[in-house]
Amino acid sequence: MRTVEELEHKLAEPSPALVQEMKSLEGDIMLLGVGGKMGPSLAKLAINAIRESGVERKVYGVSRFSEQGLKEELESFGVETIACDLLNDEQLQKLPDVKNVVYMAGTKFGTTGREYFTWAMNAYLPGRVAEKFRNSRIVVFSTGNVYPLTPVIQGGAAESTAPSPVGEYGQSCLGRERVFEHFSHQYGTPVLIYRLNYAIDLRYGVLLEIAKSVKEGRPIDVSMGHFNCIWQGDANEIALRSLLRCKQGAEVLNVTGPETVSIRYAAAELAKRLGTEAVFTGQEADTALLSNASKCMQLFGYPRVSLLQMIDWVADWVLHEGKTINKPTHFQEREGKF
């Protein structure tokens, strides 16, 4: 892949399993926060899956649409867009009632110094949304940041691991989860908490950040020595298929790739493809922010895009100076300060 158009096409390719499940999913789909990093490709994937399934169903994309041209781009693809500030309760209440909601709204970067806004977005707004869509099924995007750092030899935190977030961002995300869980119990709303740990797109993500450091000869800090990642197309597919796995009381699901990936390994593999050598600084800690995705693999099978395929694609993208999005993951952050 050398162009954004080719990348977007790849991200929006539905699997036969997703197409089949779209046939049995009842009702329209609304994506709240469609303007984020994953939202546009998720919306396009949903449209393609619905078309291939042969059913009649609408996909609504809700956002403030601050990015110029995104609203028109999604509409041209078949998404019904609604410009809405979700924190404006009058606008929120005017949204149409739908059977299926994917909740992607939230904030992470810029938390330090504006903690109040982070809590409003991540913990207050979920209550308003849960009230509004009490009769829907809701997939709630969350994060592996709700877990504590765990020993690398343990293989990552499982869904049964008690949350213990480091920093206010992770704490506010746990607040989001608990609020949706509360209303799921109160109203019987089927909910799935989707704990994502690093989706990868060629324009952003952990692998891109490592690849750029390798290419530019910048030392890579290996203090946070291991990570998880998953191709964004696979993560999007899991989000849509999770609509059929929402449960009253809130099901929890870790979403990431199957490997515990060494920073040194990923950097060395990227360096081979970039024709250079990786430079490192620091020493690996015994703990890292890791998620165990065994349950996800059991439900949906292994991701269609492997780790080495992602490394191949990212290296080629960087070599040919593909377009990037300036939204760093801060994957090396160990104090939870975003």
Side-chain angles (χ1 to χ4, degrees), residues 159 230 238 253-256 292-301:
E159 289 84 356
I230 184 170
I238 291 166
L253 183 69
N254 289 343
V255 180
T256 193
N292 185 315
S294 297
K295 179 179 174 182
C296 185
M297 304 299 125
Q298 182 182 32
L299 287 172
F300 302 109

Side-chain angles (χ1 to χ4, degrees), residues 17-226:
L18 176 59
V19 172
Q20 190 62 36
E21 290 193 0
M22 281 295 108
K23 295 179 181 179
S24 55
L25 182 71
E26 297 179 0
D28 296 331
I29 300 171
M30 180 176 288
L31 309 180
L32 297 177
V34 75
K37 286 189 293 188
M38 293 178 64
S41 59
L42 179 55
K44 293 174 183 178
L45 176 66
I47 289 287
N48 282 342
I50 289 167
R51 286 172 178 163
E52 290 191 28
S53 72
V55 299
E56 291 290 331
R57 191 161 296 131
K58 294 179 180 178
V59 175
Y60 294 98
V62 179
S63 171
R64 287 173 299 171
F65 290 108
S66 55
E67 181 183 337
Q68 189 173 3
L70 177 59
K71 190 173 188 290
E72 293 75 16
E73 177 188 334
L74 291 176
E75 287 173 351
S76 68
F77 207 85
V79 179
E80 299 206 11
T81 63
I82 303 174
C84 174
D85 179 355
L86 293 173
L87 279 173
N88 183 317
D89 201 59
E90 183 180 354
Q91 294 182 26
L92 173 63
Q93 297 307 320
K94 288 180 180 178
L95 292 176
D97 293 322
V98 295
K99 193 66 178 174
N100 305 285
V101 174
V102 179
Y103 182 82
M104 309 176 75
T107 189
K108 178 177 184 179
F109 304 118
T111 288
T112 301
R114 297 186 75 216
E115 290 83 357
Y116 56 90
F117 180 73
T118 297
W119 281 92
M121 279 296 298
N122 292 352
Y124 164 76
L125 179 58
R128 306 303 303 137
V129 170
E131 287 268 15
K132 162 67 178 174
F133 294 103
R134 68 184 72 177
N135 297 316
S136 306
R137 59 173 71 89
I138 309 175
V139 170
V140 177
F141 268 57
S142 188
T143 170
N145 284 95
V146 301
Y147 292 123
L149 301 180
T150 56
V152 174
I153 60 173
Q154 182 178 306
E159 289 84 356
S160 57
T161 302
S164 183
V166 177
E168 288 211 41
Y169 165 67
Q171 293 164 12
S172 71
C173 291
L174 182 59
R176 174 201 293 144
E177 293 188 8
R178 295 303 191 210
V179 169
F180 271 109
E181 184 182 0
H182 165 73
F183 286 106
S184 181
H185 281 285
Q186 179 169 339
Y187 295 128
T189 306
V191 168
L192 184 138
I193 305 294
Y194 176 102
R195 289 179 178 163
L196 180 62
N197 201 342
Y198 296 133
I200 296 293
D201 179 333
L202 302 185
R203 294 164 294 188
Y204 78 92
V206 179
L207 291 177
L208 176 67
E209 291 171 36
I210 296 172
K212 288 172 68 176
S213 293
V214 168
K215 184 183 178 187
E216 295 165 13
R218 290 184 281 116
I220 299 165
D221 186 355
V222 295
S223 300
M224 183 78 88
H226 299 79

